Amino acid sequence: MHMADALVSPAVGGVMWAATAGLAAFSVKKIKGDLDEKKVPLMGVMGAFVFAAQMINFSIPGTGSSGHIGGGLLLAVILGPCAAFLSMASVLLIQALFFADGGILAYGCNVFNLGFFTCFLAYPLVYRKLAREGSTTGRKALAALAAALVGLQLGAFSVVLETLFSGKTELPFGAFVLLMQPIHLAIGLVEGLVTAAVVAYVAKASPDILERADSKEGLGQAPTRKVLAVLAVGVLAVGGILSWFASANPDGLEWSMAKVAGRSELEAEGKVHDGLAELQGATAFMPDYSFKPSASAAAATEVAATAAAETWPAVSAGTSAAGLVGGAMTLALAALVGWSIRAAKRRKGPAQPAAGR
């Protein structure tokens, strides 16, 4: 559900950038009280895990489409909504700048669609209501399924609205929404199962992590070493090896666009789009999660990519490198965000008591 810049007008892109910046500022303010020295590395590792997990597209049977997890709900359950939103913003920034996955103009849309609805709506209003304290494992799994479905449906509908307000006549509202919602319903089911599985492991290994995320507290003395180690191994395995098994089918957004407009990519013209496309071309050193070919090798690379798409798994050193490098960069950025917030909090010092009357 990563939107490309061609789907967004400068006006809509600017508004969504502003909305995302506002949510990020709100999140920074809210987590200053619960962001301790244990939560910062957890933010980084969870961000890296979601980066790697998003590389694995799974086929949707009978459709010719595929999907990947968004990860916003998983981040919210383990980190709390505000830290999760900042981690998701880190994931999507690394993807857009260095892997050309999602546009720079559309960055605000993508963070909002994948982060806001899951972290600030689906998590507190659906997951927490169903998976309350004392709930069984089955009930918590049901909560993950329900919340994932709600979050993905709202995110998919937001994509349709953003293209509508951007004036993309190639994607008429009625036809586009009738394709986007059902295909993301299927994707949401898989995301719910993955979320439930990871949360079940964390609940068994260190239940305090989930309880403190729910109560918006720092991790304190909660044991995290084992969870961090397992998630780190997961990043290496998923990004370095399992990414070879990703489906070559178009994702839900591309599939819906192809059904409506007859093609999975739209062209955009204008100084803003051209300038940002040039910027992304300069920063994306591993576009499409592979080594960047030289100009002389571009034709040969395209032929090789076509042949690779016909084989499965698509064993690729470039894909493995992208998964590992991207995971490391996401871990570093998410952790840097956390450490920066903690450093700012320490510089500010404890709140002063009000003067007596």
Side-chain angles (χ1 to χ4, degrees), residues 7-17 105 109 161-163 165-167:
L7 296 178
V8 182
S9 68
V12 169
V15 168
M16 297 310 297
W17 258 92
L105 178 62
C109 296
L161 290 179
E162 287 154 1
T163 60
F165 294 142
S166 294

Side-chain angles (χ1 to χ4, degrees), residues 3 24 29 41 135 144 152 168 207 216 228 264 296 319-320 327:
M3 297 180 73
K29 181 179 180 180
S135 296
L152 263 290
K168 299 301 174 182
K216 300 178 182 178
L228 288 172
S264 60
S296 59
T319 300
S320 295

